Amino acid sequence: MKTLFRGGTVVSGKGTKKADVLVDGEKIVQVSRTITPQAETRVIDITGKLLLPGFIDAHTHFDLDVAGTTTADDFASGSLAALHGGTTTIIDYACPNKGESLRHGLELWHEKADGKCVCDYSFHMTIDDWNADIEREIDDMYAAGISSFKMYMTYPAMMIGDEAMYRVLKKLKEKGGICGVHCENSGVIDALVAEKKAAGENSVACHPQTRPDQLEAEAVGRLLRIAQTVDIPVIIVHMTNAAALKEVEAARKRGQKVYVETCPQYLVLDDSVYYQPDFREAAKFVCSPPIRKAADQKALWAGLRRGEIQTISTDHCSFTPEQKELGRDDFTKIPGGVPGVETRAELIYTYGVTTRKISLATMCKTLAENPAKLYGMYPRKGVIAKGSDADLVIYDPTADHELHASDMVGKAGYIPYEGFAIRGGIQQVWLRGNLVVDHGNLLSGPIGKYIPRGKNML
Ligand code: URP
Ligand code: ZN
Ligand code: ZN
């Protein structure tokens, strides 16, 4: 069955153009100024609407065990929330425990995801240890379509030391691989936490106070010097602040290739969220690194505008307010993470594009085109072009509304953006030629496919 999207404004990383888009089965077969439909072609009139490539969220944590609990969203509810937010492909972090093999981690993540996803999906592989077996297994990961990896410089259960980080990066260089790194200085954070506890302090505000921006910047700087030693590009995931961006700028000046990801929570919220007197309210915003100051928001938007930040993902890691209660008596036990996969695109359109902080083209690049390139899915994903998967978002710029948790399909039971005004809205979402969300209604079952990925093209 052919479908013609007629009369819309097609958005790409280069800009916008009026064009018709013809889809046959799962693929886009033609993009032209005007296309005349054949008799049996289904025609969708999208005059006055924006047509964007299905968004990619390259940073989710679904069905993840953290701090003695499991994320509220599994792959069924998380992928459903993603689709509602216009995200047609997610890349989740497969996370074997220390001592487990990468193969085991991959099998486990397939078990969690296969047959449950309503959107397409792939995995990054977390490396939290280094030994000869893991080194060998990295080759197997490429064979399984896993071309990106993750390391943590914090969290005792997952963190990796400088020596191991160097060795991992050396191996990845040999493979032409890419790695995202969570950058925070673990040792000094531990010391600051111990000081707070010794002083008998336990408010939610202790969370940002013990994880200050300079300790993220320090870790970014250290990672980049290790990457310089190996001579490999790296990705800084969920970057939050101006000082950390300065470290990237310095590395780029030295000639290094560095990719940066940020997230909506760091672009539209500030650290006043942690100073609300009610524990439940403040705890909803606990994530690491923490939400920073308004000046940092400004620096991040400028970084996006100037192309210094390449991707906006969500770090969707959802816990209900009841789960956050685990940390009522000890702020370090509040499960870290916020929901975001359902609200990302509308927030970025509203608070980025319509306020002229970034262009529509930059929105398209950071939500679709760049992650597709960086994570080896381009041009199958991330672009409206002949031969690409027909993953499409129809955005109605006139459908203004507000964000409310009660309208969400994700399982967190709250959103960090309650009551936020939204300009326009997602009207329809198409996944590989199937209409999957129409005005907020899910129309399909778990048709999500595992997407094996190739090498970085960004
Ligand atoms: O607090 C957060 N962000 N939790 C998710 C895991 C991570 O650090 O990415
Ligand atoms: Zn992280
Ligand atoms: Zn994360």
Side-chain angles (χ1 to χ4, degrees):
M1 162 93 148
K2 287 188 180 166
T3 307
L4 177 64
F5 296 86
R6 191 155 67 175
T9 299
V10 174
V11 186
S12 76
K14 292 200 183 75
T16 57
K17 63 177 182 194
K18 293 263 181 239
D20 294 347
V21 174
L22 185 64
V23 168
D24 189 1
E26 296 203 337
K27 297 285 181 188
I28 295 166
V29 291
Q30 194 183 348
V31 181
S32 304
R33 181 67 186 87
T34 51
I35 299 172
T36 308
Q38 293 164 347
E40 68 283 9
T41 302
R42 167 172 59 174
V43 179
I44 315 279
D45 181 3
I46 54 167
T47 308
K49 313 283 190 300
L50 302 170
L51 190 65
L52 296 119
F55 306 125
I56 295 166
D57 191 339
H59 191 153
T60 66
H61 302 278
F62 296 156
D63 202 351
L64 179 69
D65 297 335
V66 179
T69 189
T70 305
T71 52
D73 285 303
D74 60 9
F75 279 85
S77 67
S79 65
L80 183 57
L83 265 194
H84 276 252
T87 291
T88 47
T89 307
I90 59 109
I91 315 180
D92 199 83
Y93 287 97
C95 198
N97 294 317
K98 272 189 202 286
E100 291 174 352
S101 67
L102 303 189
R103 164 86 22 219
H104 172 77
L106 183 57
E107 281 168 6
L108 190 60
W109 251 254
H110 271 298
E111 254 170 55
K112 288 171 189 263
D114 294 353
K116 298 191 190 95
C117 279
V118 293
C119 70
D120 284 353
Y121 61 99
S122 193
F123 308 122
H124 311 280
M125 179 53 63
T126 305
I127 301 183
D128 51 20
D129 224 343
W130 185 247
N131 55 49
D133 290 338
I134 289 181
E135 181 168 6
R136 260 191 307 277
E137 280 194 301
I138 285 179
D139 297 319
D140 303 340
M141 291 301 112
Y142 281 91
I146 308 284
S147 54
S148 53
F149 297 82
K150 169 84 176 278
M151 291 189 284
Y152 290 88
M153 296 170 82
T154 185
Y155 304 144
M158 293 186 277
M159 70 178 275
I160 194 156
D162 294 349
E163 181 187 348
M165 201 153 69
Y166 169 83
R167 292 187 191 281
V168 171
L169 291 178
K170 257 202 121 167
K171 173 69 183 180
L172 295 185
K173 180 183 159 96
E174 190 187 303
K175 304 291 298 181
I178 194 86
C179 192
V181 184
H182 176 133
C183 298
E184 283 186 291
N185 180 310
S186 177
V188 182
I189 289 170
D190 286 349
L192 294 179
V193 167
E195 283 173 17
K196 286 283 180 201
K197 290 193 170 175
E201 288 186 44
N202 189 43
S203 66
V204 175
C206 293
H207 175 72
Q209 288 163 3
T210 55
R211 308 184 89 98
D213 59 344
Q214 69 270 19
L215 295 188
E216 182 183 342
E218 184 280 333
V220 168
R222 182 156 37 101
L223 165 71
L224 293 178
R225 286 300 188 178
I226 296 170
Q228 179 188 24
T229 310
V230 177
D231 185 24
I232 186 174
V234 283
I235 308 165
I236 319 289
V237 298
H238 51 40
M239 179 173 280
T240 68
N241 72 81
L245 256 184
K246 284 235 172 336
E247 296 292 333
V248 173
E249 196 186 316
R252 287 182 178 144
K253 280 205 180 116
R254 300 194 287 268
Q256 286 181 249
K257 185 105 187 148
V258 186
Y259 303 102
V260 178
E261 168 200 89
T262 191
C263 311
Q265 55 270 35
Y266 304 120
L267 291 164
V268 305
L269 300 173
D270 65 61
D271 65 352
S272 60
V273 294
Y274 297 119
Y275 293 85
Q276 304 176 80
D278 182 31
F279 169 85
R280 268 218 174 191
E281 284 309 310
K284 286 176 180 173
F285 299 88
V286 167
C287 57
S288 296
I291 291 158
R292 307 290 188 194
K293 306 250 175 259
D296 294 304
Q297 269 182 27
K298 223 172 146 198
L300 295 176
W301 282 116
L304 286 163
R305 197 165 46 245
R306 292 197 288 257
E308 294 160 8
I309 299 176
Q310 287 71 38
T311 65
I312 305 174
S313 306
T314 64
D315 194 11
H316 182 101
C317 188
S318 58
F319 298 98
T320 63
E322 292 72 32
Q323 289 177 293
K324 297 262 182 189
E325 284 289 334
L326 286 168
R328 186 173 273 275
D329 299 326
D330 177 350
F331 72 93
T332 63
K333 295 203 164 60
I334 302 169
V338 294
V341 78
E342 203 166 348
T343 48
R344 174 181 62 150
E346 291 185 342
L347 284 168
I348 298 306
Y349 179 78
T350 303
Y351 295 95
V353 176
T354 71
T355 58
R356 297 182 180 273
K357 292 190 185 75
I358 60 169
S359 65
L360 208 43
T362 297
M363 171 172 164
C364 184
K365 263 194 209 168
T366 53
L367 299 192
E369 198 174 297
N370 285 349
K373 288 180 175 166
L374 181 58
Y375 296 111
M377 293 186 280
Y378 189 86
R380 177 175 179 184
K381 303 286 188 190
V383 62
I384 297 176
K386 185 177 172 190
S388 299
D389 279 1
D391 297 344
L392 300 166
V393 174
I394 299 173
Y395 200 93
D396 180 354
T398 66
D400 294 0
H401 61 287
E402 284 182 359
L403 294 178
H404 292 290
S406 51
D407 296 325
M408 299 291 142
V409 297
K411 293 264 178 72
Y414 81 97
I415 49 170
Y417 317 103
E418 185 60 38
F420 273 44
I422 292 297
R423 301 289 303 277
I426 292 167
Q427 186 183 313
Q428 286 188 344
V429 183
W430 294 70
L431 174 65
R432 286 180 279 99
N434 300 288
L435 176 59
V436 284
V437 174
D438 187 14
H439 292 87
N441 299 310
L442 180 73
L443 300 179
S444 86
I447 61 167
K449 276 189 187 167
Y450 172 71
I451 307 293
R453 295 178 292 109
K455 287 190 179 166
N456 169 24
M457 287 172 263
L458 189 60

